[in-house]
């Protein structure tokens, strides 16, 4: 599933994710699977992920960054679009 991580675009439906992969090969891996509800907004701030809940609360889940595949040598560190890999049942 492709999500926009600009902090303003709401998540269209609920999803349980294992990681968020950016277009340029970086991956944010939450310490545990993360539940995103419809209407939540996500953004990268500093070195972490911030989830702004539809009700207005903020969540900063613990996690870490890694590199899977570096596709470009230049460009923004963390683009706005990410792919969410859903947790397996």
């Amino acid at each position: 599933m492709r999500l926009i991580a600009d902090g303003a675009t709401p998540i269209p439906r609920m999803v349980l994710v294992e990681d968020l992969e950016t277009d340029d090969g970086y991956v944010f891996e939450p310490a545990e699977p993360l539940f995103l509800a419809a209407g939540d907004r996500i953004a990268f701030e500093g070195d972490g992920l911030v989830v702004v809940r539809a009700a207005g609360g903020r969540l900063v889940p613990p996690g870490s960054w890694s590199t899977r595949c570096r596709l470009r040598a230049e460009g923004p560190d963390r683009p706005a679009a990410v792919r969410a890999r859903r947790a397996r049942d």
Side-chain angles (χ1 to χ4, degrees):
M1 174 179 209
R2 191 164 184 80
L3 304 175
I4 305 299
D6 62 1
T9 306
I11 305 294
R13 62 187 170 107
M14 68 177 135
V15 63
L16 183 64
V17 297
E18 286 185 5
D19 58 40
L20 297 166
E21 181 179 349
T22 66
D23 287 339
D24 62 353
Y26 290 105
V27 178
F28 180 79
E29 298 176 7
E32 55 188 44
L34 176 64
F35 175 74
L36 299 172
D40 286 353
R41 295 169 284 142
I42 59 173
F44 297 114
E45 293 181 7
D47 289 334
L49 175 73
V50 175
V51 179
V52 179
R53 298 293 187 188
R58 286 174 54 99
L59 171 67
V60 181
S64 61
W65 284 97
S66 62
T67 304
R68 287 210 178 131
C69 175
R70 183 71 187 211
L71 301 177
R72 293 186 298 236
E74 53 188 71
D77 287 340
R78 295 188 177 79
V82 295
R83 287 183 299 277
R85 186 170 59 133
R86 288 186 268 177
R88 292 172 179 79
D89 296 37

